[in-house]
């Protein structure tokens, strides 16, 4: 550790004596590491963050599979409300099966003027099945979801309580008018809970039996129509029950429904997935995963270009340091010890690039998230630079230092001591080649940069073409 500390302090002094080199290297690395960290922040938010529910491993999502009418986003579809009730009452594998709709826009009177909120209709056992406990008040239960229109109660999200009610301590018991109907606030959801959705969450939850007050009139028959696939289902497995057992059990219930109600249920069955895979609707999930993979590939290319650039700078710098290296070797330093000291400099450069890369990641994340539609901005989850993201940035910074520092360090350690000292630093330790490693790195940089530029140009051209499509109506205002 003492030797490592000496290497670090010497590396800092060396970098301070070459401010132009240090600035160029750190800025290049900050761009590459920052962009990678920003995209990883989105991936972390969408796909890696755990659901804020109790014992998430016991929860599964239930879908409809329709052999005749597959969705453009895949063959995993939602479930009709009448079928949900049959699955809930006739299964033998769940301690509870809950239903929830997609967020529905409603007109709410919070201040002097009406504004839009997004409200989710959920079954009375929704919060109990997920194991979600309120941060204020209480949640509604099955008794509040028994009679249509009988229980005008609402649970608010933590964010809407903070942003639109100023975190009022007396929020429980207040009246809110939604679509002209007065609802009583019975509780506030815990912070960080956005429903079973890692992208877009509701402002409030109401019992499904309040559909007459929440749904537009033309859609209210959904609640009695077995072909209307409008609800997502979340079930908690009984102790000892497996997903395979749940599949078999619900497949039997679906077969019975197909025989009892052949017209709406013909060709329909069920599919089950872990609930952690249902945080984004299946077909959309695959599309987002592919899109983020492409983005990660592009920013990875940028980081590779930066590493190649720094490696070339270090190779050039090794020429000017040839005599210094030769003197160290002449005084008895081993090649391994020399490589260790040079690698310490490289890793330190990587860490400095990572520090400034976090600033680039923060600005990039804000830039990407600023493109959200204003009406939905408060309902999108916020990608945070949490501990997982910081660990990613640290690992990438150290790995980057190792990648771009290893080859120059090995090349420097092979310096010819006699020639280097004779040449007084002029071309010390580097054999002149017609086409050496430095040239290879330059060719690689140009090649990768060309790929990135072509990709960016294609993206911009596609975006421009999409913006010029005539939607058939006036889009101004």
């Amino acid at each position: 550790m003492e030797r490592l500390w000496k290497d670090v302090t010497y590396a800092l002094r060396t970098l301070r004596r070459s401010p132009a080199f240090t600035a160029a290297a750190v800025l290049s690395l900050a761009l590459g590491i920052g962009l990678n960290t920003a995209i990883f922040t989105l991936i972390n938010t969408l796909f890696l963050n755990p659901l804020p529910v109790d014992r998430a491993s016991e929860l599964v999502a239930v879908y409809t599979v329709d052999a005749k009418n597959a969705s453009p986003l895949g063959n995993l579809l939602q479930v009709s409300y009448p079928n949900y009730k049959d699955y809930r009452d006739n299964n033998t594998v769940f301690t509870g099966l809950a239903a929830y709709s997609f967020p529905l826009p409603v007109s709410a009177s919070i201040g002097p003027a009406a504004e839009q909120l997004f409200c989710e209709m959920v079954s009375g056992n929704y919060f109990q099945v997920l194991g979600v406990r309120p941060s204020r008040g209480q949640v509604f239960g099955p008794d509040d979801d028994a009679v249509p229109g009988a229980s005008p109660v609402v649970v608010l999200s933590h964010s809407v309580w903070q942003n639109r009610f100023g975190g009022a301590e007396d929020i429980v018991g207040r009246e809110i008018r939604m679509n002209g109907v007065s609802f009583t606030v019975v509780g506030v959801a815990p912070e960080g809970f956005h429903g079973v959705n890692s992208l877009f969450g509701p402002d409030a939850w109401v019992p499904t039996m309040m559909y007459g007050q929440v749904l537009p009139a033309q859609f209210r028959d959904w609640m009695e129509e077995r072909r209307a696939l409008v609800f997502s289902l979340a079930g908690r497995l009984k102790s000892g029950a497996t997903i395979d057992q749940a599949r078999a059990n619900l497949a039997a219930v679906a077969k019975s429904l197909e025989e009892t109600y052949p017209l709406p249920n013909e060709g329909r069955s069920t599919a089950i997935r872990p609930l952690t895979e249902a945080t984004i609707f299946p077909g959309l999930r695959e599309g987002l995963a592919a899109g983020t993979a492409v983005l990660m590939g592009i920013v990875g290319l940028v980081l590779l270009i930066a590493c190649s650039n720094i490696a070339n700078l270090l190779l050039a710098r090794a020429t000017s340091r040839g005599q210094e290296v030769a003197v160290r070797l002449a005084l008895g330093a081993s090649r391994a010890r020399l490589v260790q000291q040079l690698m310490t400099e490289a890793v330190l450069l990587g860490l400095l690039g990572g520090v400034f890369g976090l600033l680039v990641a923060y600005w990039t994340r804000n830039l990407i998230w600023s493109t959200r539609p204003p009406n939905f901005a408060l309902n999108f989850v916020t990608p945070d630079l949490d501990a997982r993201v910081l660990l990613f940035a640290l690992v990438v910074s150290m790995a980057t230092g190792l990648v771009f520092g290893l080859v120059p360090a090995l090349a420097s350690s092979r310096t010819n001591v006699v020639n280097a000292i004779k040449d007084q630093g002029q071309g010390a330790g580097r054999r002149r080649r017609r086409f050496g490693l430095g040239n290879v790195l330059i060719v690689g940089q140009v090649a990768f940069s060309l790929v990135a530029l072509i990709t960016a140009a294609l993206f911009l051209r596609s975006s421009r073409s999409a913006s010029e499509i005539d939607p058939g109506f006036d889009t101004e205002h």
Side-chain angles (χ1 to χ4, degrees):
M1 292 304 296
E2 181 182 358
R3 187 168 63 181
L4 177 62
W5 176 247
K6 289 180 178 179
D7 284 346
V8 170
T9 55
Y10 178 77
L12 287 172
R13 291 198 304 270
T14 302
L15 295 176
R16 191 169 59 245
R17 287 198 300 266
S18 307
F21 165 80
T22 303
V26 170
L27 289 176
S28 296
L29 291 172
L31 179 63
I33 295 171
L35 292 178
N36 277 270
T37 303
I39 300 304
F40 179 78
T41 303
L42 300 182
I43 294 174
N44 178 57
T45 301
L46 297 177
F47 302 108
L48 303 181
N49 271 344
L51 275 173
V53 297
D54 187 32
R55 303 190 307 278
S57 60
E58 299 176 0
L59 294 168
V60 297
V62 179
Y63 299 99
T64 295
V65 177
D66 194 329
K68 298 187 298 181
N69 296 298
S71 162
L73 294 178
N75 201 27
L76 295 180
L77 309 171
Q78 293 173 300
V79 180
S80 68
Y81 189 74
N83 280 5
Y84 154 68
K85 291 192 293 184
D86 286 317
Y87 292 141
R88 179 194 63 193
D89 298 337
N90 297 318
N91 81 82
T92 60
V93 290
F94 297 123
T95 59
L97 185 63
Y100 55 97
S101 71
F102 49 84
L104 302 159
V106 296
S107 176
S109 299
I110 294 177
E115 58 182 285
Q116 179 176 269
L117 292 183
F118 288 92
C119 182
E120 226 173 51
M121 297 190 304
V122 299
S123 58
N125 62 347
Y126 173 80
F127 294 102
Q128 288 81 8
V129 168
L130 296 181
V132 174
R133 298 167 183 82
S135 61
R136 290 285 190 281
Q138 62 186 21
V139 295
F140 48 75
D143 292 341
D144 298 308
D145 196 33
V147 180
S151 298
V153 292
V154 60
V155 173
L156 299 178
S157 71
H158 194 275
S159 60
V160 81
W161 172 53
Q162 289 292 324
N163 295 327
R164 304 194 186 187
F165 291 92
E169 294 293 332
D170 61 345
I171 187 64
V172 175
R174 280 197 188 184
E175 300 289 323
I176 300 177
R177 294 189 68 81
M178 293 193 297
N179 288 352
V181 178
S182 182
F183 284 77
T184 301
V185 178
V186 295
V188 176
E191 185 175 4
F193 179 70
H194 306 285
V196 186
N197 197 309
S198 62
L199 182 62
F200 186 85
D203 297 301
W205 294 267
V206 300
T208 56
M209 287 297 98
M210 296 304 297
Y211 67 90
Q213 290 71 36
V214 174
L215 284 175
Q218 64 268 33
F219 299 138
R220 289 171 190 166
D221 58 351
W222 282 354
M223 304 300 292
E224 303 298 330
E225 175 54 61
R226 288 186 181 270
R227 289 210 64 84
L229 307 180
V230 293
F231 281 92
S232 300
L233 306 188
R236 185 173 292 277
L237 294 170
K238 291 181 178 179
S239 178
T242 65
I243 289 183
D244 288 337
Q245 291 172 336
R247 287 193 183 104
N249 181 235
L250 286 191
V253 177
K255 184 65 176 177
S256 174
L257 290 176
E258 185 179 14
E259 294 171 353
T260 306
Y261 308 99
L263 186 60
N265 285 314
E266 183 182 0
R268 286 184 173 179
S269 187
T270 58
I272 295 179
R273 300 286 187 275
L275 192 64
T276 52
E277 297 180 11
T279 54
I280 301 175
F281 197 73
L284 184 59
R285 184 184 182 90
E286 279 74 27
L288 284 173
T292 52
V294 170
L295 284 174
M296 204 68 192
I298 294 298
V299 296
L301 198 62
V302 173
L303 181 58
L304 192 58
I305 294 169
C307 287
S308 177
N309 187 34
I310 305 307
N312 223 354
L313 287 174
L314 287 175
L315 282 173
R317 193 162 178 257
T319 302
S320 63
R321 297 181 66 182
Q323 190 178 31
E324 172 198 339
V325 172
V327 170
R328 288 174 178 274
L329 292 171
L331 291 175
S334 67
R335 296 186 185 277
R337 181 71 184 88
L338 185 61
V339 168
Q340 178 185 334
Q341 197 272 317
L342 294 174
M343 288 298 296
T344 301
E345 289 185 27
V347 172
L348 188 59
L349 268 179
L351 292 175
L352 289 173
V355 171
F356 288 97
L358 287 175
L359 295 177
V360 174
Y362 178 77
W363 293 329
T364 305
R365 181 207 65 174
N366 291 347
L367 178 63
I368 294 173
W369 228 233
S370 68
T371 61
R372 294 171 295 167
N375 288 349
F376 309 112
L378 292 177
N379 299 88
F380 275 95
V381 292
T382 301
D384 294 320
L385 300 178
D386 59 15
R388 189 184 289 110
V389 174
L390 295 178
L391 179 61
F392 172 85
L394 175 63
V395 171
V396 169
S397 300
M398 296 186 68
T400 298
L402 294 173
V403 167
F404 71 71
L406 182 59
V407 172
L410 291 175
S412 296
S413 69
R414 291 197 293 268
T415 297
N416 187 304
V417 176
V418 176
N419 290 341
I421 294 178
K422 278 183 179 180
D423 292 344
Q424 295 294 311
Q426 296 178 8
R430 270 187 94 178
R431 280 189 304 170
R432 296 190 178 277
R433 302 176 184 173
R434 296 182 64 186
F435 197 83
L437 178 60
N439 293 326
V440 172
L441 292 173
I442 291 173
V443 170
Q445 288 180 65
V446 174
F448 290 144
S449 298
L450 185 62
V451 172
L453 285 170
I454 291 173
T455 304
L458 289 172
F459 174 78
L460 291 173
R461 189 172 70 176
S462 297
S463 298
R464 181 180 177 183
S465 298
S467 67
E468 292 176 350
I469 294 174
D470 183 4
F473 57 89
D474 183 8
T475 59
E476 291 299 321
H477 309 296

